[in-house]
Amino acid sequence: MLWNGRYGSYYLGIENQLIENYPMPYRILQYDCLVYKDQMDVLEKEHRKKKDLRSSEEFLSGIKASDRLIP
């Protein structure tokens, strides 16, 4: 869930489990990676549409140095 708070935007994820699940930390890392990937995809799509990537680093990565991802 994306939450827009007083000091910025945050992603909030809650998963309840009734029994101990050993691979839970791995699954949470996967969730984090997917959220970052979605943010990257949106930024890349916007910049490619605008064609505003100037340097070779920006062009290869698909984002600008000034872009920020929501942790």
Side-chain angles (χ1 to χ4, degrees), residues 8-67:
S9 298
Y10 306 93
Y11 280 99
L12 175 65
I14 298 173
E15 185 168 332
N16 188 19
Q17 60 184 21
L18 299 174
I19 59 172
E20 191 169 347
N21 187 348
Y22 295 119
M24 179 62 78
Y26 176 73
R27 187 167 51 219
I28 291 173
L29 285 172
Q30 285 180 317
Y31 295 155
D32 290 344
C33 289
L34 290 172
V35 169
Y36 282 126
K37 171 118 176 63
D38 288 344
Q39 293 180 58
M40 290 286 297
D41 290 344
V42 168
L43 288 171
E44 288 177 27
K45 187 176 180 181
E46 289 175 1
H47 288 304
R48 303 248 185 245
K49 187 176 181 181
K50 292 179 187 176
K51 297 183 180 182
D52 62 349
L53 301 174
R54 301 291 177 230
S55 70
S56 59
E57 291 85 4
E58 289 178 348
F59 184 78
L60 288 175
S61 67
I63 63 172
K64 292 184 161 226
S66 59
D67 289 337

